Amino acid sequence: MGKQKKFVEEITPMDEDFAKWYTDIVKKAELTDYSSVKGCMIIRPYGYAIWENIQKVLDQKFKETGHENVYMPMFIPESLLQKEKDHVKGFAPEVAWVTHGGDEELTEKLCVRPTSETLFCEHYAKIIQSYNDLPKKYNQWCSVVRWEKTTRPFLRTTEFLWQEGHTAHATEEEAQKETIDILNIYADFCENVLAMPVVKGQKTEKEKFAGANATYTIESLMHDGKALQSGTSHNFGDNFAKAFNIQYTDKNGELKYVHQTSWGMTTRLIGAIIMVHGDDSGLKLPPKIAPTQVMIVPIALHKEGVTEKALELKDRISKVARVGIDISDKMPGWKFNEYEMKGIPVRLEIGPKDIEKNQVVLVRRDTGKKTFVSIDEIETKVVELLDDIQSSMLNSAREHRDENTYTAATLDEFINIAQNKPGFIKAMWCGDTACEEKLKEVAGVSSRCIPFKQEQISDKCICCGRDAKHMVYWGKAY
RNA sequence: CGGGGCGUAGCGCAGCUGGUAGCGCACUUGGUUCGGGACCAAGGGGUCGGGUGUUCGAGUCACCUCGCCCCGACCA
């Protein structure tokens, strides 16, 4: 009893200190380590394996929808970065610069890419001539650097991994369709693979990407009631095309500017998985993204036949799921806690008593529920259980999100909710940035998005009382 | 970048008014154990974040610096 208490103390309870809980999980589950450069993290094998699974699923989706992977340089000459005015202005404060090669000062300093719009644009200007060259749908997996003031593992790091898609289209309509198609891919991915419900919508003028006409976002709600922007998709119109002179000849022989999009998802998603699903025992991974879906813990390993049986099970299950086995001489209880902390969806126990009865014990991480299953039907039972865990994790995340989404019809009500109930607040807005800024000031929340699914809560702006244009999701954000 | 906190073994910590570093866990070896963090025995591991100063002597005092954590402003 006393011993068990001690283990629990290694992870700070989330209700006591959510931020501490988060960093405890990241460390204890061996997802990352700190490095000697501020804000840069080492992604350890277990953390990287999660990222690889994210990549695998998304990459396949991008390819299915006609995107090609490329690789752009890590450095951007200062002059190139400056070609699009809004874009530079947005990124300038967080750019890292290379000024020397060896001992020699460079004639032009190079920026370490914070994002690669300018590089793609420069390239597109060269390779696009005719409508036959369109659309161009490129994607790259890389890391980018943004000199952040405050950093936290996965949520905000100086260098982070991501994918950035960059496309060029003949028409505005096509570009808009691409922007929304990608947003839908992101949303489906979050819901179906990460078991994380999202709100799809558009960013306000104030919150949109530097240089874009429109930014679309998926917003998710963390366990502590703070919002996390989990993926964005931008429609650039012809802003960049004009700045970089990306033109093509259409069917009528007329010279036209292309219409562009860009979109990205990052390692921040791992932070989202932690904060949406985790509990006081540790990480809780949705089966579809878990590096190991089933962990076999044999009981009384030294007893006749246990190891053999466990290995045999591993072999069988490996045909239907990602399975691991722990045959170290640690105590079973130690292993139970360890793999719960690591969020492995299913634990399989097999001991002498089970072998006698031709059964195993399956324990699900999300609910802790144990079931006894005949060894004869192990493959189907494991697959069923993983499916069930996947969908019930989405359901409980959705319940949590809905329970923590409020509506406000008056400013008093709005402020009251903002200050006392962490979560999303739905409220009407006139569309004026001044009101958005005022709400930040008086209530401490920012606009998360103008959701596609609009509701009419009232007909006046919550802030100024003028006619409302949109219903907006508001909240505190990471 | 402002306000607060913390840096001592892999992790968590102790180390008093200055006297040359310790505890628990982890690790290694051998043995016994195994259905919710086992036990016995024997071992290994430290430029006390870094620098400068005060002092006969600094983990301990002063100043500087770096890093981490938390709360705000900025951002994926």
Side-chain angles (χ1 to χ4, degrees):
Chain A
M1 185 65 204
K3 275 165 193 160
Q4 184 155 2
K5 197 173 161 211
K6 190 173 163 242
F7 167 70
V8 172
E9 280 167 1
E10 290 180 23
I11 299 174
T12 307
M14 54 201 314
D15 291 337
E16 195 177 290
D17 185 344
F18 191 78
K20 185 90 193 328
W21 169 85
Y22 178 82
T23 37
D24 284 351
I25 300 287
V26 166
K27 273 189 289 191
K28 297 294 297 180
E30 298 179 344
L31 299 176
T32 66
D33 194 11
Y34 291 100
S35 74
S36 50
V37 181
K38 177 182 158 65
C40 293
M41 62 176 175
I42 291 157
I43 305 179
R44 302 181 64 181
Y46 196 53
Y48 200 77
I50 295 172
W51 180 239
E52 284 181 311
N53 284 341
I54 291 173
Q55 283 184 303
K56 214 177 291 168
V57 180
L58 279 177
D59 197 63
Q60 191 192 339
K61 209 69 199 163
F62 297 151
K63 283 174 179 156
E64 277 169 16
T65 48
H67 299 86
E68 298 173 284
N69 281 340
V70 296
Y71 188 78
M72 291 285 163
M74 168 188 260
F75 303 119
I76 306 172
E78 187 176 22
S79 54
L80 185 63
L81 185 73
Q82 286 176 341
K83 281 202 170 179
E84 213 286 339
K85 288 194 310 290
D86 291 337
H87 186 65
V88 215
K89 214 187 291 167
F91 281 100
E94 42 186 357
V95 163
W97 293 101
V98 177
T99 56
H100 287 75
D103 289 336
E104 266 173 64
E105 195 171 339
L106 303 178
T107 47
E108 179 176 10
K109 54 180 182 171
L110 301 174
C111 137
V112 181
R113 64 177 166 221
T115 178
S116 311
E117 270 73 13
T118 53
L119 292 164
F120 277 91
C121 285
E122 185 186 43
H123 181 58
Y124 280 157
K126 284 188 206 158
I127 64 167
I128 295 170
Q129 269 105 41
S130 134
Y131 70 91
N132 288 310
D133 298 325
L134 296 172
K136 277 276 176 280
K137 305 211 287 184
Y138 287 176
N139 175 64
Q140 83 166 337
W141 292 93
C142 66
S143 74
V144 288
V145 167
R146 297 180 189 177
W147 220 256
E148 298 288 349
K149 292 171 180 163
T150 333
T151 58
R152 297 183 69 190
F154 294 120
L155 299 175
R156 173 154 301 106
T157 47
T158 301
E159 180 188 16
F160 58 91
L161 303 182
W162 77 347
Q163 60 68 214
E164 50 178 324
H166 294 266
T167 67
H169 306 265
T171 65
E172 198 179 332
E173 294 71 37
E174 247 184 81
Q176 179 63 13
K177 181 174 185 299
E178 169 79 3
T179 313
I180 300 300
D181 284 351
I182 292 293
L183 193 75
N184 287 328
I185 288 174
Y186 285 169
D188 288 348
F189 174 77
C190 285
E191 304 213 341
N192 299 327
V193 180
L194 306 185
M196 184 169 86
V198 296
V199 177
K200 285 189 270 189
Q202 184 172 356
K203 283 288 187 189
T204 61
E205 278 299 300
K206 181 176 186 289
E207 300 281 334
K208 77 175 190 191
F209 181 83
N213 277 357
T215 290
Y216 300 91
T217 178
I218 47 173
E219 297 286 322
S220 44
L221 195 66
M222 302 298 105
H223 197 273
D224 64 346
K226 282 194 184 174
L228 189 84
Q229 178 176 309
S230 304
T232 48
S233 184
H234 317 287
N235 186 337
F236 291 144
D238 56 10
N239 300 344
F240 280 86
K242 282 180 172 156
F244 287 84
N245 201 30
I246 313 172
Q247 289 181 301
Y248 70 97
T249 310
D250 73 4
K251 283 181 183 166
N252 306 318
E254 281 177 46
L255 211 49
K256 297 221 162 130
Y257 287 110
V258 299
H259 289 76
Q260 289 172 276
T261 78
S262 89
W263 26 276
M265 268 192 161
T266 77
T267 35
R268 176 183 258 192
L269 283 176
I270 297 173
I273 297 169
I274 299 168
M275 291 194 292
V276 168
H277 299 301
D279 62 19
D280 284 344
S281 304
L283 199 58
K284 202 187 272 184
L285 294 175
K288 286 189 184 167
I289 220 67
T292 301
Q293 297 168 310
V294 180
M295 181 56 82
I296 299 174
V297 179
I299 310 294
L301 271 162
H302 59 291
K303 297 265 170 70
E304 181 86 28
V306 173
T307 309
E308 290 75 6
K309 200 71 191 171
L311 287 168
E312 184 192 315
L313 280 167
K314 178 180 185 257
D315 198 46
R316 282 176 58 183
I317 295 171
S318 70
K319 302 200 166 70
V320 296
R322 297 187 286 271
V323 60
I325 185 167
D326 187 341
I327 50 171
S328 70
D329 66 355
K330 297 245 167 51
M331 300 297 286
W334 187 94
K335 295 177 185 174
F336 297 167
N337 285 307
E338 178 71 10
Y339 300 118
E340 275 166 21
M341 191 167 61
K342 291 204 157 177
I344 295 175
V346 174
R347 174 173 85 238
L348 186 155
E349 297 172 27
I350 171 98
K353 285 184 231 162
D354 300 309
I355 293 173
E356 243 171 70
K357 297 184 201 159
N358 192 44
Q359 69 175 24
V360 299
V361 187
L362 295 182
V363 187
R364 51 192 289 172
R365 172 65 177 90
D366 62 335
T367 61
K369 201 176 152 234
K370 285 188 183 187
T371 47
F372 296 86
V373 168
S374 161
I375 289 181
D376 299 334
E377 42 181 15
I378 189 66
E379 289 94 342
T380 48
K381 289 293 179 187
V382 162
V383 170
E384 277 173 27
L385 188 57
L386 288 171
D387 282 350
D388 194 53
I389 293 170
Q390 181 78 32
S391 60
S392 70
M393 282 179 74
L394 174 61
N395 286 338
S396 50
R398 195 173 273 146
E399 260 169 48
H400 175 266
R401 197 262 318 264
D402 293 345
E403 278 165 14
N404 292 282
T405 301
Y406 306 93
T407 53
T410 67
L411 186 57
D412 282 349
E413 210 183 331
F414 187 91
I415 294 171
N416 186 40
I417 296 167
Q419 290 174 349
N420 300 307
K421 295 177 181 171
F424 284 133
I425 312 172
K426 298 191 278 190
M428 304 307 288
W429 176 56
C430 62
D432 193 335
T433 305
C435 283
E436 209 177 337
E437 277 162 359
K438 190 177 170 203
L439 289 173
K440 172 90 200 183
E441 216 173 280
V442 298
V445 297
S446 55
S447 76
R448 301 321 313 150
C449 71
I450 305 163
F452 293 154
K453 238 186 249 165
Q454 282 285 308
E455 294 166 46
Q456 190 74 21
I457 293 162
S458 71
D459 47 13
K460 300 292 178 200
C461 173
I462 190 99
C463 185
C464 66
R466 285 177 290 176
D467 285 350
K469 285 208 184 101
H470 311 285
M471 185 271 275
V472 171
Y473 271 76
W474 308 83
K476 295 197 165 87
Y478 275 99

